[in-house]
Amino acid sequence: MECEPLYTWSGEKVQWSHHREPCTWNGELTNAQQIAADRIVQAVTTNESELLVWAVCGAGKTEMLFQGISEALRQGKRICITTPRADVVRELLPRIQQAFANVSVQGLYGGSENKEGTAQIMITTSHQLLRFKQAFDMVIIDEVDAFPFHKDPSLPFATQRAKKEIHTTIYLTATPRPHHRLQIAIKKLAHVFVPVRYHGNPLPVPIFKMCFSLQKDLTHVKLPRNVWKWITNRKNPSRQLLIFVPTIKMAEKMKENLTEIFIMRGLLKKQDEMDFVHSEDSEREEKVTLFRQRKMKVLITTTILERGVTFPSVDVVVLDAGNKVFDEAALVQIAGRAGRSADDPTGEVVFFHDGKTDAMVQAVQAIKKMNRLGGF
């Protein structure tokens, strides 16, 4: 808050532990992941100021970081992984704690139980970096292209202030913004590119389905006939269904109106198999957990779940894909929720619309380009 005082430490510098073998993760990286991991280690070893890791959705960006984080810990450095959304912090925290079981790891976000911020590895939302000044030797900015980081100038300011004078910044993204692409093109920003998913399968390419009555049906909070037809004829009906809508109000109303209809049509057995989530939902964490545990079959969501969350076997629907809230980056990220598991790498993605937009076309072009670069 503007009226809240900020204090900075002026005493002796904190000496962080040097860990000889900090990583307790026993997995193996693919060749593409290893190239990126080696490049990150190089950046940490040489105190390179910036490196962008451009990796497609589902490439396994988190695992690529482990060797670089290990190198930083061997040097006695402090690391911060910062991300735009609390959902992502909650998902990353147990994974990092498991991968670095003997290192202190804390998560910091609005509503988090632990508010100390004293661990050697911190995982925070972007806003929580306002708490730190010259605290981190290595800062990893996950989803650097996402809202609110690229829209709120106070967040890049806070991130910059949180770094020590000599530092390494790692940017992670599947959809870099134009200014980062320009910096890469003119060789002002070092980068490494990972065009293939960890399981070696291509990204699901969205298909377009025209709905002439879309706006009328959505006004009455109904699903157009084309949507029902697709849902009842899915290639793999055992997959969970993730339905993206443009507004919070629509998410809530859709759940109210559709649950009984899904049950009547035999698509659900009981009411608690469908729910909705959005940014203002106080039960969001619990609902996402239930969906991840497959205790829920259908989840209606706004763009709050467009990135940073992993579900093993889902089909993805975007209702009113031409809406302005679904820009190219959002649509690419939404499509990336499908096919993330090696056991089910071919989830369906459908954009229902009443007229194609540039964002829709560009999103599909971007996904096809990534698949070509990945050898598909």
Side-chain angles (χ1 to χ4, degrees):
M1 296 176 62
E2 288 184 1
C3 59
E4 186 176 356
L6 291 175
Y7 299 90
T8 59
W9 176 253
S10 60
E12 293 182 9
K13 292 183 179 180
V14 177
Q15 298 298 315
W16 296 97
S17 299
H18 292 252
H19 299 266
R20 184 173 296 178
E21 295 293 337
C23 189
T24 50
W25 181 68
N26 295 318
E28 293 185 6
L29 299 178
T30 65
N31 290 336
Q33 287 177 316
Q34 189 60 58
I35 291 170
D38 290 343
R39 185 65 184 84
I40 294 169
V41 170
Q42 179 186 341
V44 174
T45 304
T46 61
N47 290 319
E48 195 171 345
S49 61
E50 290 183 312
L51 174 68
L52 184 139
V53 180
W54 182 353
V56 298
C57 298
K61 290 190 286 291
T62 303
E63 289 74 15
M64 295 178 208
L65 295 171
F66 290 166
Q67 294 178 17
I69 293 173
S70 295
E71 179 59 32
L73 291 169
R74 278 192 284 270
Q75 296 180 28
K77 293 182 176 182
R78 192 184 189 196
I79 300 104
C80 177
I81 304 172
T82 185
T83 184
R85 293 174 183 170
D87 304 86
V88 184
V89 176
R90 286 191 286 262
E91 180 161 305
L92 281 175
L93 183 58
R95 295 172 65 185
I96 300 297
Q97 287 173 329
Q98 186 176 17
F100 298 93
N102 301 316
V103 182
S104 58
V105 181
Q106 292 175 0
L108 199 59
Y109 56 90
S112 59
E113 294 181 6
N114 190 322
K115 300 185 184 300
E116 292 179 358
T118 55
Q120 191 164 1
I121 300 178
M122 292 298 307
I123 308 170
T124 77
T125 53
S126 305
H127 289 89
Q128 295 296 327
L129 286 180
L130 290 164
R131 297 172 176 265
F132 298 95
K133 182 178 181 181
Q134 295 184 2
F136 301 106
D137 303 278
M138 181 183 185
V139 175
I140 300 163
I141 305 177
D142 190 23
E143 307 291 1
V144 67
D145 63 292
F147 181 86
F149 192 86
H150 78 285
K151 288 285 189 181
D152 185 344
S154 71
L155 299 182
F157 166 80
T159 304
Q160 195 64 32
R161 188 179 62 180
K163 303 172 187 175
K164 292 184 180 178
E165 188 174 344
I166 299 175
H167 64 268
T168 298
T169 302
I170 308 294
Y171 303 113
L172 303 179
T173 180
T175 49
R177 294 283 169 179
H179 71 279
H180 277 143
R181 297 190 192 196
L182 176 61
Q183 285 184 303
I184 290 171
I186 62 176
K187 300 188 182 336
K188 293 288 187 180
L189 177 62
H191 80 289
V192 60
F193 184 50
V194 185
V196 64
R197 287 183 152 185
Y198 78 94
H199 51 56
N201 291 279
L203 297 161
V205 179
I207 60 173
F208 296 161
K209 286 195 175 291
M210 183 73 172
C211 297
F212 292 102
S213 63
L214 182 67
Q215 297 305 324
K216 178 182 176 182
D217 290 332
L218 293 182
T219 300
H220 294 91
V221 201
K222 298 192 306 182
L223 289 183
R225 184 180 300 175
N226 281 5
V227 181
W228 280 119
K229 183 179 178 180
W230 177 81
I231 289 175
T232 54
N233 292 287
R234 286 194 291 158
K235 297 175 184 177
N236 186 350
S238 66
R239 290 189 189 121
Q240 293 167 282
L241 188 59
L242 196 56
I243 302 176
F244 285 85
V245 296
T247 66
I248 292 174
K249 184 178 180 180
M250 189 181 296
E252 295 174 341
K253 291 290 185 181
M254 278 286 177
K255 192 266 180 180
E256 291 176 13
N257 289 18
L258 296 181
T259 304
E260 292 296 337
I261 301 175
F262 267 74
I263 293 173
M264 287 171 54
R265 295 190 178 210
L267 300 170
L268 298 177
K269 293 181 180 179
K270 49 188 180 179
Q271 289 192 345
D272 61 3
E273 290 182 328
M274 174 186 282
D275 217 324
F276 69 90
V277 290
H278 52 72
S279 59
E280 299 174 11
D281 187 353
S282 60
E283 299 178 359
R284 186 171 88 217
E285 182 179 358
E286 292 81 1
K287 292 176 181 178
V288 171
T289 299
L290 288 172
F291 191 72
R292 186 177 287 115
Q293 294 173 346
R294 300 185 66 84
K295 295 178 181 179
M296 192 187 301
K297 289 189 176 180
V298 181
L299 187 61
I300 302 167
T301 179
T302 58
T303 54
I304 192 67
L305 295 186
E306 76 178 33
R307 61 178 79 219
V309 290
T310 299
F311 306 113
S313 181
V314 297
D315 286 333
V316 176
V317 166
V318 183
L319 291 179
D320 195 12
N323 192 288
K324 63 182 180 180
V325 304
F326 299 120
D327 61 13
E328 177 192 345
L331 291 171
V332 170
Q333 292 283 355
I334 286 170
R337 299 312 99 201
R340 296 180 75 93
S341 168
D343 296 325
D344 184 17
T346 57
E348 294 183 73
V349 182
V350 186
F351 293 168
F352 289 98
H353 65 97
D354 57 359
K356 294 180 190 176
T357 61
D358 289 342
M360 292 167 59
V361 173
Q362 289 163 2
V364 170
Q365 288 175 344
I367 291 169
K368 288 181 176 178
K369 181 179 179 181
M370 294 300 104
N371 283 340
R372 287 196 302 273
L373 291 171
F376 301 105

